[in-house]
Amino acid sequence: MNTITAVNEFVIRFANVNGTGSASANMLFAKSLFRMGIPVSPRNMFPSNIQGLPTWYDVRVSEKGYMGRRGENVDMVVAMNPQSFERDVKSLAPGGFLFYDSTKYIDTGKYRSDIQWIGVPLMEICQREYQNPRQRQLFKNIIYVGALAALLEMDFDVIKDLIASQFKAKQKLIPPNIHALELGYDYASKNFDCPLSIKVKAADLNKDKILIDGNTASAIGAVYSGATVASWYPITPSTSLVEAFEKFAERFRIDKETGEKKFAIIQAEDELSAMGMVIGASWNGARAFTATSGPGVSLMTEFLGLAYFAEIPVVLFDVQRGGPSTGMPTRTQQSDILSCAYASHGDSKQVLLFPSDPKDAFDIAADAFDYANRLQTPVIVMLDLELGMNDWISDELEWDDKREYDQGKVLNAEQLDKLERYGRYLDVDGDGITYRTYPGTHPEKGAFFTRGTSRDEYAVYSELGEDYVHNVDRLTRKFATAAELLPKPVIYKAKASAVCGVVYVGTTALVQDEMTDLLEQDGIYVDAMKIRAFPFHSDVKKFINKHQKVFVIDINRDAQLRTLLINEEDFDPAKLLSIRHYDGMPVTAVTIVEQMKSALGISDNSNAEKRA
Amino acid sequence: MNTITAVNEFVIRFANVNGTGSASANMLFAKSLFRMGIPVSPRNMFPSNIQGLPTWYDVRVSEKGYMGRRGENVDMVVAMNPQSFERDVKSLAPGGFLFYDSTKYIDTGKYRSDIQWIGVPLMEICQREYQNPRQRQLFKNIIYVGALAALLEMDFDVIKDLIASQFKAKQKLIPPNIHALELGYDYASKNFDCPLSIKVKAADLNKDKILIDGNTASAIGAVYSGATVASWYPITPSTSLVEAFEKFAERFRIDKETGEKKFAIIQAEDELSAMGMVIGASWNGARAFTATSGPGVSLMTEFLGLAYFAEIPVVLFDVQRGGPSTGMPTRTQQSDILSCAYASHGDSKQVLLFPSDPKDAFDIAADAFDYANRLQTPVIVMLDLELGMNDWISDELEWDDKREYDQGKVLNAEQLDKLERYGRYLDVDGDGITYRTYPGTHPEKGAFFTRGTSRDEYAVYSELGEDYVHNVDRLTRKFATAAELLPKPVIYKAKASAVCGVVYVGTTALVQDEMTDLLEQDGIYVDAMKIRAFPFHSDVKKFINKHQKVFVIDINRDAQLRTLLINEEDFDPAKLLSIRHYDGMPVTAVTIVEQMKSALGISDNSNAEKRA
Amino acid sequence: MSYMKKPQFYNPDLPKNELGLTIRDYEGSLSTLCAGCGHDSISSGIMQACFELSISPHTVAKISGIGCSSKTPTYYLGNAHGFNSVHGRMPSVATGANVANRDLTYIGMSGDGDTASIGLGQFVHVIRRQLNMLYVVANNGTYGLTKGQNSATLDKGSKPKKGPDNPWDSIDLVTTAIQMGATFVARSFSGDKQQLVPLIKAAVAHKGFAFIDCISPCVTFNNHAGSTKSYDYVREHNAVMNRMDFIPLQDEITTEYAAGTSSQVSLHDGSVMHLQKLAEDYDPRDKITALDNLQRHNADGKVLTGLLYVDPDASDTHDVLATSKTPLRELKEKDLCPGAEVLSSINASFS
Amino acid sequence: MSYMKKPQFYNPDLPKNELGLTIRDYEGSLSTLCAGCGHDSISSGIMQACFELSISPHTVAKISGIGCSSKTPTYYLGNAHGFNSVHGRMPSVATGANVANRDLTYIGMSGDGDTASIGLGQFVHVIRRQLNMLYVVANNGTYGLTKGQNSATLDKGSKPKKGPDNPWDSIDLVTTAIQMGATFVARSFSGDKQQLVPLIKAAVAHKGFAFIDCISPCVTFNNHAGSTKSYDYVREHNAVMNRMDFIPLQDEITTEYAAGTSSQVSLHDGSVMHLQKLAEDYDPRDKITALDNLQRHNADGKVLTGLLYVDPDASDTHDVLATSKTPLRELKEKDLCPGAEVLSSINASFS
Ligand SMILES: Cc1ncc(C[n+]2csc(CCOP(=O)(O)OP(=O)(O)O)c2C)c(N)n1
Ligand SMILES: Cc1ncc(C[n+]2csc(CCOP(=O)(O)OP(=O)(O)O)c2C)c(N)n1
Ligand code: SF4
Ligand code: SF4
Ligand SMILES: [Mg+2]
Ligand SMILES: [Mg+2]
């Protein structure tokens, strides 16, 4: 039997029952590797329920720095869930390692003989060590982490330190956790040849990096960018964004003396209300946001049209999940692109931003408030579950203390006094963006009526066709202004000159390196462009025009990004080749490369099979 | 001074204050011409308010059969509104006729000298004839119709007959109305050289035609197609559709003996609820519909995604108005095309039907229920205010008594008994459409759970990627089936062979003849295609492929129809030239032709100027 | 009713308030509602109240939904910002606005369709949040702007202008408001300035959520066919023409009656409404009694008017959320941004 | 809790009902809710009630929104069609379904988030329409499925598992239901089968809108930190890890107490709930008294359970709409289509 041999380059899957405390233990495992300086990408696949159903946690360890999902097959499975045991055993690559609880006898031969079985009597150890049944269950998880430490030759001190720092607030929990770790460690050391042929080795690759999820990073961005009003309605996978905002606001925004809060978070009764509150707050001059997922976006549709037409800044985080409808609430997709870009009836168009990693999410979250205010329009930050709810290795977050918040074109009382006549919708600067005033600014000047109906330049209700056309053509102009204001795409040149390009948004960035390497191995060179915003910057057009063929990667069935590109820029569809992935799991480099090669007519003899 | 001379080929505008009873009188005028066998197209431009604001009613008389809006300038104005008087005077073509109330002295010279002023002391006549101030106001309208009858040489008997038939239910109202008519007729006959140089002449061009609005025609279609459940929330311009449904259902669907109603109409608390009721009723086997306009569509977005994904038939009439947001609620646009086609988050796609005249609206409304049930998906009938709320000359409505309602693939108890195992989402026929059962069908077989989440072929909840993909790919297949099931486009070949085509949907059909004639006058030949449904039939692709250049007419700013064509069929955008009109007024042939010629680089020396 | 130009001259003898402003300074643009519409009377009530309270108009924010009633903010306090949002969602927009700047006065205008149908959820939840605002429903039992469909506040059995008698139970907004925790709840009649203006003043002065259900007859659409009035040519004309295209100019319906007494108000179509004013010694601070009182009068077909319930010590959303006294929108970078140094420690906690 | 396979054998001695069915014929698929979740007890209450009423399962239609509670219809009456619609919108879907076929029995399942927050408008309006259905709210004061946010029915001052004490007034669903015109209104406790099953039976049998507010503890999220219970390793672990990733298996909370008495139910976290059962001689037909009674007990912090209000002669939507006795969905072309000849006359009327 072949045995997989790998150092710092493998995938280990934890198969658990949800609600059994495994998440903390698995995170402990992943973070220990992170602290050992090894690039690692943990990924949670959880069910849409609270307790008792299968949940998986894949940890990819990759010294090469490949942080995307590798594929369905893994090198090691920690199979803790009887419900999914068969399926989990199947998911192991030949020569891989199956870690299981051997308290009850399992006829391993019945399953597979081309893998290594590593049985640790976890339950037995727990029965012996703990009286309280809850402790038994919880520590079982820590014990397997301890065993893995021995099996994979992890740095035990790193794990202990991590426990110590995690339980800083509850010191007395430290010793029992360390004890549990040692129980596993000792058992494995005694009973197996440690380390296995698959193992880790300390490196120094995570300098100046942090391990953080995208929702948290976005929330910190919102705190830094001076967001004061958050209104929301709970929905997976966006909930943790607002919860993180609350956490950091509670920490940094409460006046120590008075206890006054320099923020307000309101759990709305639904998404319509959440969006209404953001609109009201922004209209009144605060920096406000909400976060939701697909169904919430659908419910906000009417209000998004109002904000577009009445020109109210809005920041909306859409943490995308599998659609349509309730769809796959705990799976990832980028399938709200069209519904967000054209949210609402009539000729509505919305600004989209596409963060691709936590640092980017932080920056884009912070910038979003400036853009929304400058452009006086909704800005939708398009995250997805993959970015929002998983921990990623990311550059450290940065802030320039000299940065000022951009509230856009707002006139104060003095400025109003100098004006002959104020026109809310007068395009004074020719960029399509007009001047607003906040309620209460001036006793006699600058008041206007905000409405979702057509109006003239002085905000007076009008049903005249010419007033309407004048106004909506200005909005088109404003979008042209937006295109050049918003972040440019990031372009990655191939090592050799390339006739093909590849274009994507958001988390697909995660597989970019691996994809490029795989293609290069076959002598294929492709320039890549990560689009960061819609409306599209002129560089997007340039990039596409420069290449003969351009692959557009869509994490949805209907090729929505490709659609948006063609719609808005009049590219010839024949030139834009569609790559699609939409089963709810994060996309793999192999999937993309296979589709690219088949589109290019290159037979698939690459290492795809070896890896998938 | 030139005086316009025209027989059966002119436009007359009635400028009134809304709420003064002018609508009935103006309709009397238009319908009289219709009964005289002259093609006529009346058009109402009303404000979004109830009483006291300007409202206009344009009647185009065209023996050539041009039924589209002609343009801003008209040949005669009946100027009854002091508020808009100046503007109305301006809207008259040189040499045109200005009909006004001369009770109070007006210095006509102050306004224009290049037009004919026809003053009738309407208020004076009313003061003299009527005591009751309300009657004075109401009959004033009838008096001017009487005066016009003389001035334009209308058939007085036709008008009298019409009054008699309209007031059939209230005989005693007939004599006073006829008296008022005569007052006007006599005054005009006595004081002016009647007829004017602009006049009508009986013809025989309206045989087998009716004068009806599109909302009413749709409602009759729904009655004929067996719709039993209508739930709705009031919104202009869709309200009259449901009101007409109620009227005809009350007339034809109440059991004479028991008084039982064979229909249920529920005014919902909002559009979300209206759509929820349609979904519930359709799920349970009834033919159900709702009607709304843009803001309602936005609110129904979440539910439309559910119906798409859970595969529930829905019939939704979207009577489009000016967007975005509340927009121009009493103006016309076709600007919900994208928001309807892709309604809802995730990869959602909806079936659209585009009726283009009342007969078509009747047919499409009736067919919509069959399509929705056969396809088990929402079908959105895209009317607009222009079609829905204006009277049109139309072919008579037809019904084949042998027609059976198509409920699609529904299994009954006997069919279930014969099945080994029933799978709600098993694609037995390979067309993407699977078999459903109604609740309560069978004690043991056929029950399933309907949900908006992912599921397997047996309707069992599933989070497996492969089940999800299998299901949504089938939905794509179902849409391919739909494309060939839905009505084909209608193609109008040019008189000579044409390299260019023009494509449109809905009410743009109204200007088709005039557009073609105008182009032909300049030696330009263009084939035309009226698209009737989305997803697009293969003939749509064929037509476009056959032509070098294709104009796509959009009654919206963002070229939404063009977008949809490019998206769905991968046409080269360079080939699809966009014609757009979006000021809320119905499009004119001249507008289209001008844009076409400028796109073709032909200088504009046509008769456009003369006519606009 | 609008086609008469508003007189532009200012009467130098007009009384001035503490700010030196006259009632003219509290006007908005000319109303485009129907002649005699009750809503216009509410507008003038609001002008009068703000004038008497010497509120500087620009410190008011006027927020509304969609409907004839929701149009009215354009017709008063022209120097105040207004927001005519979307149908039924005024409460959430008002909430956001208020949270952003606690220092303005918030007036929310809504209709019975806007509040009791599409907006019911938002209505209840803004009450629960105790938003410091005056929420007025111009209650006419009908959907004025969409031409006369029954609303959810229309009494069961009422005869609307079109269609059959209303078969559905009505929602009593004042009861709902008290039940859901509103701390100032009143009902009045648009044509009763003596009662309405003081109520508006008290409501604006109230800290917390103040609700006024203001009966405001739609002279055009409501309660039409129920009339037993004699022959009306217009009505028959409209019926026969199957459309409501003639809307006679009506006079405003007004009334005046003393506390503790009742008044029968005749509507234009001849139907009659029984208003019962709370007695002067009524103590509105007892919630249970207030609800009981309401129920008893409802059962008698009487419409109780006046200040039904008030909690003079109410708190508001800001109290509950403990937000800073400085309005959130006034806070600047130094107040809001934790800064680069703190960010380093945040980074450290994720490494 | 689900990873134990459901036993498949049928006990031949199980009692049979009039239809010859056993309780097993009323089951659905295995629950995936947390061990001890109150919602599962409601499911078995529904099974028991339908069994005892000898309702053929396939003549029931089960409709729900989204939430743990809304998942439950999958777990009972497997031979009945079910519709798990969207969040908060069960009432409208149920209305459409009922209007289409008046002959089935309609059970709507909802949660307190589903009903009192996003769905409040639909809840009130389905009541107004008097839909003939049983509407059950599995009321746990929390959003179970999204992991424990406070709901609008959570008592003011409650301590949730995460975050500060609940500062907002709660919505009392039974009071709201009675106020809005529901004709059968009851409250019960999921763990009190003796009370719950007869109530469900009566509600299903009731013609018109029947509402049961069923208190159903969320053993995982609700009322956690308020506990004064001694040291719990799990709790501390979760607190420190800043995530709820360990959810201990809990036992169902049950109670049994006689009419007219009260019962103190201890929740898993040690907090206590005071249930007060209505006395046997309580007459639930007087609406005003029912409301009064509720208010008085609410003020005392007591949760009144039992059949609070019923109008035994209630009518339903179909009565009001006068719809045909034959279900609308059964009507065919000959019933519905006026035919070509009539169409000619319609054409004539437009020419
Ligand atoms: C989402 C949406 N649905 C429907 C409408 C149409 N609409 C405008 S006003 C109105 C009802 C207004 O009734 P009410 O609030 O009572 O105001 P009133 O006109 O009677 O003062 C409706 C249904 C709309 N504007 N938006
Ligand atoms: C439109 C929409 N918003 C939010 C959600 C997320 N969501 C799912 S269940 C739920 C709350 C459920 O609470 P409740 O109805 O009380 O049910 P429980 O889980 O407590 O039984 C929420 C907010 C959703 N599914 N749809
Ligand atoms: S329709 Fe009724 S509510 Fe609207 S303005 Fe006229 S009278 Fe007032
Ligand atoms: S989270 Fe709460 S409501 Fe949901 S299943 Fe678990 S115990 Fe029940
Ligand atoms: Mg109203
Ligand atoms: Mg709940």
Side-chain angles (χ1 to χ4, degrees), chain A residues 233-236 239 270-271 292 294-296 299 321 326 329, chain B residues 302, chain D residues 37 39 66-70 86-89 110-115 118 137-146 149 151 218:
Chain A
Y233 190 70
I235 187 166
T236 309
T239 303
D270 60 20
E271 288 86 350
T292 191
L299 287 173
R321 65 189 209 182
T326 310
Chain B
E302 189 197 18
Chain D
C37 177
H39 301 356
I66 301 279
C68 295
S69 34
S70 293
V86 288
H87 194 30
R89 317 295 176 195
S110 182
D112 46 329
D114 205 58
T115 285
I118 190 168
V137 168
N139 192 344
N140 54 16
T142 195
Y143 285 23
L145 192 55
T146 51
Q149 296 80 18
S151 89
C218 171

Side-chain angles (χ1 to χ4, degrees), chain D residues 32-186:
Chain D
T32 59
L33 303 182
C34 302
C37 177
H39 301 356
D40 278 335
S41 312
I42 302 177
S43 296
S44 45
I46 290 175
M47 293 180 222
Q48 187 67 34
C50 291
F51 166 74
E52 291 180 15
L53 286 170
S54 291
I55 290 177
S56 186
H58 80 292
T59 63
V60 176
K62 310 166 295 183
I63 305 177
S64 64
I66 301 279
C68 295
S69 34
S70 293
K71 284 181 176 183
T72 61
T74 329
Y75 314 141
Y76 54 81
L77 309 190
N79 280 325
H81 276 63
F83 195 158
N84 195 193
S85 65
V86 288
H87 194 30
R89 317 295 176 195
M90 174 273 279
S92 60
V93 176
T95 303
N98 183 308
V99 165
N101 184 358
R102 60 191 299 168
D103 282 355
L104 301 181
T105 297
Y106 292 88
I107 299 181
M109 273 302 302
S110 182
D112 46 329
D114 205 58
T115 285
S117 292
I118 190 168
L120 190 71
Q122 296 219 338
F123 174 60
V124 167
H125 284 277
V126 74
I127 294 175
R128 283 188 72 230
R129 287 189 193 100
Q130 308 171 30
L131 199 73
N132 187 13
M133 75 179 296
L134 163 59
Y135 188 123
V136 181
V137 168
N139 192 344
N140 54 16
T142 195
Y143 285 23
L145 192 55
T146 51
K147 306 205 162 182
Q149 296 80 18
N150 295 344
S151 89
T153 65
L154 184 65
D155 287 338
K156 189 167 174 168
S158 289
K159 294 177 188 307
K161 206 147 200 164
K162 314 185 262 199
D165 292 3
N166 176 36
W168 309 112
D169 265 327
S170 69
I171 295 179
D172 188 34
L173 292 175
V174 286
T175 307
T176 307
I178 297 175
Q179 201 89 68
M180 296 298 173
T183 51
F184 180 111
V185 178

Side-chain angles (χ1 to χ4, degrees), chain B residues 434-494:
Chain B
T434 63
Y435 287 81
R436 60 181 187 135
T437 59
Y438 296 153
T441 301
H442 191 292
E444 283 132 35
K445 287 178 133 184
F448 64 91
F449 222 82
T450 302
R451 44 166 61 86
T453 41
S454 51
R455 67 203 87 101
D456 68 13
E457 292 175 313
Y458 297 93
V460 176
Y461 179 75
S462 166
E463 290 175 355
L464 283 182
E466 62 216 55
D467 287 336
Y468 172 84
V469 169
H470 189 79
N471 187 52
V472 298
D473 285 352
R474 180 178 55 74
L475 292 179
T476 301
R477 225 154 50 233
K478 183 163 89 168
F479 257 62
T481 301
E484 300 308 299
L485 175 72
L486 297 170
K488 292 186 187 198
V490 181
I491 292 169
Y492 305 90
K493 299 286 293 172

Side-chain angles (χ1 to χ4, degrees), chain A residues 461-467, chain B residues 11-27 29-30 41-50 52-60 69 71-92 98-99 144 328 330-331 385-386 389-391 583-586, chain C residues 3 147 243 245:
Chain A
Y461 179 75
S462 165
E463 291 174 356
L464 284 182
E466 62 216 57
D467 287 337
Chain B
V11 180
I12 172 166
R13 169 168 301 160
F14 297 84
N16 301 92
V17 176
N18 75 341
T20 55
S22 57
S24 316
N26 298 343
M27 164 76 182
F29 172 81
S41 62
R43 239 175 223 93
N44 212 349
M45 267 86 63
F46 55 102
S48 174
N49 114 317
I50 305 300
L53 287 187
T55 183
W56 293 274
Y57 189 81
D58 278 9
V59 180
R60 181 171 189 181
R69 184 168 157 259
E72 193 41 43
N73 283 3
V74 298
D75 305 300
M76 182 171 200
V77 172
V78 179
M80 293 293 116
N81 184 357
Q83 282 174 281
S84 64
F85 192 77
E86 274 200 49
R87 178 173 161 193
D88 296 331
V89 170
K90 275 195 201 125
S91 72
L92 201 52
L98 197 293
F99 182 102
Y144 70 62
M328 294 190 292
T330 60
R331 294 290 180 267
L385 185 143
E386 163 81 338
M389 289 190 70
N390 286 315
D391 285 315
D583 70 358
M585 301 298 282
Chain C
Y3 60 79
K147 305 205 162 180
R243 64 172 95 202
D245 76 334

